[in-house]
Amino acid sequence: MLISTLSELRLHLPSNAIDRIENIQGNLADSERSLLTDKLGLPLHNRLVEYYRSIDPEMFAQHVIDGTYTSNPWEELLFLAQSVIVKDAMCAYVRQNSISINGAGVNVMSSSDYAPADDKRLAESVQSFRANAYKSLNNLLKLLEEWAKAVNTPAAIADDTQASQSDTSRFGDTQASPSDASLADDTQASPSDSSLSDDTQASPSEPPLTDAPAGEDTEAPAALFEPALPVIVSLWCMSRYYYLDATLLIPTCTVLQAFLDIEDYRDRFIRLLPDLRFIQRHYIEKTFGEAFVEEMRMADESDPLLFDVRSLIVAHLKVRTTVLDFDKATKAQAHNETVSLRDSILAAIAKRNAVPAEEQAQDMTAETPKDDKQRTFRNNSEGNKMFVSPMLV
């Protein structure tokens, strides 16, 4: 669990009259498992839970109020994670809390101080909480993306199988990952099965969790006062929600946003990845060849041909995807664009390949330079001689 006190709850839900955190703990746990864990990836989520157990929640809440939490990456990550959990949990809680189940049956909750909300108000509240939950989730993924770019980690998105197989080994009972070793030389592997147990405290030999200086007054163990960003990013890159898939011609949400308005939502980009992979493999590679795709993958961002190829991918995406809702007119226009862009790219490739062929032909037909002393043959000129083979005599 990443939230356990009313002080933390009020940071994200100030207008509440909940007097016991236990009343909402089940909803908070459900939201953490269903919405947050896969976004962080199990290794990073487990490490964040471990960090949370090592601090005083009341002190953390005070750091948020003071604004000093932003100097500690783990606290900043924790604050955004709690925001996602609380707002998503409210979607279920507001409806559940509007009724009372007792010996007399199911009744509507009411009191002398509060009037029960009508169905319209409840529906609006649920919709607002859900929208804000995904807004907070997008802010969380943006922050992790900024840290990943700063640390410059390997460009890979682990699939679900790899992630599930490496969750325990990377986090619990093996040595640190290669990126851990290269980015944080002092990082050590955590003891076996100590990091995945709910009632086990963090070991001093585990990778560092905070950026706090050695002299700062904090509840975290002194052995954890080391750079945190490399550890956070190296754990997050094992999640399927890692921001970058370097095998694609549209590798990030930022690149896709330049061609298609997805409101800069990272979650939408991740859900579009299966379509993007299918389009690149079955439409782009089959039409232009794998060598051309690899060339475009390494091309400069200013390459006009790369721009056209990405535009073609987005046109196919509008026709194919069900993640985003496009009307028939938009899909018809996108289909026409796929034809024109494909022909334009093929013409550009043919023109580019024709230039070296012409240059090669010119080189083959070019006149060979002659020595100044070399004399050319002229018929009936004085001094001409004819050599006749003896077989012709």
Side-chain angles (χ1 to χ4, degrees), residues 373-384:
K373 296 181 180 180
Q374 181 179 356
R375 294 179 60 185
T376 58
F377 177 81
R378 293 182 181 180
N379 192 28
N380 297 326
S381 294
E382 183 178 356
N384 283 352

Side-chain angles (χ1 to χ4, degrees), residues 41-342:
L42 190 58
L44 179 56
H45 175 264
N46 287 340
R47 190 63 59 86
L48 185 60
V49 171
E50 178 187 337
Y51 171 76
Y52 182 67
R53 291 176 184 155
S54 72
I55 65 173
D56 179 6
E58 297 293 340
M59 184 66 69
F60 163 70
Q62 188 59 45
H63 288 170
V64 175
I65 296 173
D66 296 341
T68 58
Y69 76 101
T70 56
S71 62
N72 183 342
W74 286 105
E75 287 193 347
E76 192 170 4
L77 181 63
L78 177 61
F79 177 73
L80 289 176
Q82 287 182 344
S83 179
V84 175
I85 294 169
V86 170
K87 292 168 184 175
D88 185 69
M90 286 299 107
C91 296
Y93 182 73
V94 293
R95 289 195 176 278
Q96 294 173 359
N97 199 45
S98 64
I99 61 174
S100 173
I101 302 176
N102 48 50
V106 179
N107 304 294
V108 178
M109 295 281 291
S110 64
S111 69
S112 58
D113 298 327
Y114 301 98
D118 56 24
D119 290 341
K120 180 180 179 182
R121 184 62 57 86
L122 285 175
E124 290 175 350
S125 298
V126 170
Q127 184 177 3
S128 175
F129 279 124
R130 181 168 288 112
N132 285 316
Y134 277 92
K135 209 174 275 186
S136 296
L137 176 61
N138 195 50
N139 291 334
L140 173 67
L141 294 175
K142 276 185 176 181
L143 178 67
L144 288 170
E145 180 177 334
E146 291 172 2
W147 288 347
K149 290 178 179 177
V151 174
N152 193 25
T153 53
I157 296 181
D159 59 29
D160 294 336
T161 303
Q162 293 172 335
S164 61
Q165 291 175 347
S166 62
D167 282 343
T168 303
S169 61
R170 292 293 190 105
F171 186 75
D173 52 7
T174 62
Q175 294 181 349
S177 64
S179 53
D180 280 340
S182 61
L183 297 172
D185 295 337
D186 296 334
T187 299
Q188 300 293 329
S190 59
S192 63
D193 67 3
S194 64
S195 58
L196 298 178
S197 175
D198 290 340
D199 43 354
T200 304
Q201 297 298 325
S203 169
S205 63
E206 291 174 352
L209 300 178
T210 72
D211 278 338
E216 183 175 336
D217 183 16
T218 179
E219 297 294 329
L224 303 181
F225 300 149
E226 295 293 341
L229 289 187
V231 178
I232 292 174
V233 172
S234 63
L235 292 172
W236 184 50
C237 73
M238 288 182 272
S239 167
R240 70 185 184 90
Y241 277 79
Y242 189 66
Y243 84 102
L244 175 67
D245 186 346
T247 65
L248 295 178
L249 296 178
I250 299 182
T252 67
C253 176
T254 304
V255 173
L256 180 60
Q257 180 65 34
F259 294 85
L260 179 65
D261 183 18
I262 57 173
E263 299 179 4
D264 211 27
Y265 266 58
R266 270 63 185 165
D267 179 70
R268 292 180 186 174
F269 173 73
I270 296 299
R271 288 187 288 131
L272 286 170
L273 282 177
D275 287 322
L276 291 173
R277 293 190 182 107
F278 182 90
I279 291 168
Q280 179 167 316
R281 181 174 181 82
H282 293 279
Y283 296 159
I284 307 303
E285 288 184 0
K286 295 293 179 63
T287 303
F288 307 110
E290 295 182 6
F292 174 78
V293 171
E294 182 64 20
E295 177 187 348
M296 289 295 98
R297 196 175 67 84
M298 305 302 295
D300 188 83
E301 290 293 322
S302 60
D303 191 334
L305 197 54
L306 176 60
F307 181 89
D308 289 344
V309 173
R310 286 174 172 172
S311 299
L312 177 59
I313 293 174
V314 171
H316 280 297
L317 186 65
K318 291 178 181 179
V319 175
R320 171 183 169 78
T321 189
T322 58
V323 174
L324 304 176
D325 188 20
F326 297 104
D327 55 33
K328 291 183 179 180
T330 301
K331 289 186 176 183
Q333 180 181 356
H335 175 73
N336 295 334
E337 289 175 355
T338 60
V339 177
S340 60
L341 285 169
R342 181 195 62 197

